[in-house]
């Protein structure tokens, strides 16, 4: 898929074209997939306004109990959008709501543990942006331990990156 291969312009054109066709056809699943790709692209660019718009569109699409995973993701996107827009309190509210949605799915036996951890990682980033570096470090350490325990090796990379960023911010080389 072009967005994941670094062909951003072509990837964005393809996602928008697919999204438009899915909307015309009333294909909710494809709309959700396109909006997810659009959201992940906005995260790569740290584009708060675009990510917020994408999150709101995902929220509108995620009605009913079958939309809970999409709602959880949309809330995480919204939390990150707030973080990119320097609204740490808004980010925290949305990220906690995202974690709640995914925990509810876990209670039903669905495997969404990493989604909860990802939101916790972004909470740690919010703490760091508030200058609460020790709290952020402690939260990242908890996430790293859980990734090790659960075998989330891609998560280890993500949380080590957050930890390294926090260490740098603390002046710890």
């Amino acid at each position: 898929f072009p967005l994941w291969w670094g062909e951003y312009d072509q990837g964005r054109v393809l996602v928008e074209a697919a999204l438009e066709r899915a909307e015309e056809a009333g294909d909710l699943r494809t709309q959700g997939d396109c909006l997810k790709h659009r959201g992940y692209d906005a995260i790569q660019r740290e584009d708060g306004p675009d990510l917020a718009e994408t999150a709101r569109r995902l929220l509108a699409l995620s009605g009913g109990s079958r939309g809970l995973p999409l709602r959880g993701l949309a809330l995480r996107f919204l939390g990150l959008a707030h973080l990119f827009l320097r609204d740490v309190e808004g980010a925290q509210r949305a990220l906690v709501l995202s974690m709640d949605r995914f925990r509810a799915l876990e209670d039903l036996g669905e495997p969404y543990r990493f989604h909860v951890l990802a939101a916790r990682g972004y909470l740690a980033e919010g703490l760091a942006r508030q200058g609460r570096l020790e709290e952020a470090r402690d939260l990242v350490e908890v996430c790293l331990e859980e990734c090790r325990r659960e075998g989330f090796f891609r998560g280890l990379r993500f949380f080590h990156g957050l930890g390294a960023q926090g260490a740098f911010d603390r002046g710890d080389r």
Side-chain angles (χ1 to χ4, degrees):
F1 190 78
L3 281 176
W4 300 112
W5 302 326
E7 298 172 15
Y8 301 110
D9 293 335
Q10 180 185 5
R12 286 183 199 110
V13 168
L14 289 173
V15 167
E16 291 303 322
L19 181 57
E20 186 177 317
R21 288 185 182 154
E23 287 171 340
E24 289 169 0
D27 181 349
L28 300 180
R29 181 178 177 162
T30 301
Q31 286 178 57
D33 288 342
C34 290
L35 289 168
K36 283 190 271 187
H37 287 295
R38 191 171 183 231
Y40 287 124
D41 176 58
I43 290 169
Q44 291 296 319
R45 294 179 286 114
E46 294 191 18
D47 186 333
D50 188 33
L51 188 55
E53 177 197 341
T54 300
R56 287 184 187 98
R57 289 176 70 180
L58 269 174
L59 281 170
L61 195 65
S62 66
S65 61
R66 296 186 72 195
L68 280 177
L70 205 55
R71 181 170 291 279
L73 181 63
L75 288 165
R76 189 168 76 223
F77 283 176
L78 190 59
L80 275 169
H82 282 291
L83 201 57
F84 295 153
L85 295 168
R86 294 185 170 90
D87 173 13
V88 177
E89 291 80 16
Q92 290 171 332
R93 285 189 302 272
L95 291 167
V96 168
L97 288 172
S98 172
M99 290 176 6
D100 289 346
R101 296 305 180 273
F102 286 118
R103 284 185 182 126
L105 288 166
E106 285 184 311
D107 290 344
L108 298 173
E110 306 249 353
Y112 286 99
R113 190 74 200 130
F114 188 73
H115 288 277
V116 173
L117 284 173
R120 288 176 79 188
Y122 294 125
L123 281 173
E125 188 173 341
L127 291 169
R129 288 183 185 212
Q130 290 177 312
R132 298 163 59 187
L133 300 175
E134 300 304 317
E135 290 175 73
R137 185 198 62 211
D138 292 346
L139 186 53
V140 167
E141 287 296 327
V142 168
C143 292
L144 280 166
E145 180 55 38
E146 191 158 340
C147 282
R148 287 184 196 102
R149 186 175 54 250
E150 296 290 333
F152 295 142
F153 298 111
R154 285 189 60 191
L156 288 171
R157 179 180 58 190
F158 172 70
F159 291 111
H160 277 297
L162 285 176
Q165 180 181 342
F168 182 80
D169 291 345
R170 287 190 311 277
D172 179 357
R173 304 292 182 242

